[in-house]
């Protein structure tokens, strides 16, 4: 079965940078869209960034110009490079990947990684 493992979260000062990684393993036939969500305390889950199989990217307005989503298809991995971090970026970040294991595509979630931006 498919498993997604996230890494890269931590504590960083405002203006700092982090890079999140999410690697899928298991029996994988193909991977379609990949994305990152986040959830801050007391707030709804928010879609942060997506990247399609063709490389098209989309971002929520609050992170445009600061975050970059990318993928390595050979490694079944999606990344989120986060620069110029702000306290408002503090949240648990979750990757979501559309994966086919032989039939239809289904969405899989990572376990989450905590990002805390504070001085």
């Amino acid at each position: 079965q498919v498993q997604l493992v996230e890494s890269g979260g931590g504590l960083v000062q405002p203006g700092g940078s982090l890079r999140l990684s999410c690697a899928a393993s298991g029996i994988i036939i193909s991977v379609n869209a990949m994305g990152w969500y986040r959830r801050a305390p007391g707030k709804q889950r928010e879609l942060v960034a997506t990247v399609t199989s063709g490389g098209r990217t989309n971002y929520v307005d609050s992170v445009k110009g600061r975050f970059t989503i990318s993928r390595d298809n050979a490694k079944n991995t999606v990344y989120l490079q986060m620069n110029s971090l702000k306290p408002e970026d503090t949240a648990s970040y979750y990757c979501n990947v559309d994966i086919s294991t032989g039939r239809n595509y289904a969405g899989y979630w990572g376990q989450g990684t905590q990002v805390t931006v504070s001085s």
Side-chain angles (χ1 to χ4, degrees):
Q1 57 182 297
V2 175
Q3 182 178 7
L4 272 58
V5 178
E6 299 182 27
S7 62
L11 175 64
V12 65
Q13 293 183 329
S17 298
L18 288 172
R19 189 173 80 152
L20 307 183
S21 299
C22 172
S25 62
I27 302 175
I28 299 172
I29 302 300
S30 61
V31 178
N32 199 358
M34 294 174 151
W36 289 93
Y37 292 76
R38 67 185 179 187
R39 178 172 286 164
K43 297 183 179 180
Q44 296 293 318
R45 183 179 63 189
E46 178 183 43
L47 179 60
V48 178
T50 60
V51 56
T52 69
S53 60
R56 176 173 290 185
T57 59
N58 283 284
Y59 302 90
V60 66
D61 286 344
S62 61
V63 309
K64 288 181 178 177
R66 301 188 298 120
F67 290 12
T68 302
I69 187 171
S70 61
R71 61 193 290 164
D72 185 334
N73 291 329
K75 297 181 178 179
N76 290 326
T77 299
V78 61
Y79 305 94
L80 187 67
Q81 178 67 47
M82 304 184 294
N83 299 325
S84 301
L85 282 162
K86 304 176 180 179
E88 305 90 85
D89 297 316
T90 296
S92 293
Y93 284 72
Y94 300 84
C95 59
N96 181 267
V97 183
D98 293 330
I99 297 172
S100 173
T101 58
R103 306 184 76 180
N104 56 300
Y105 283 92
Y108 293 83
W109 289 93
Q111 83 281 5
T113 185
Q114 179 66 36
V115 172
T116 302
V117 185
S118 177
S119 59

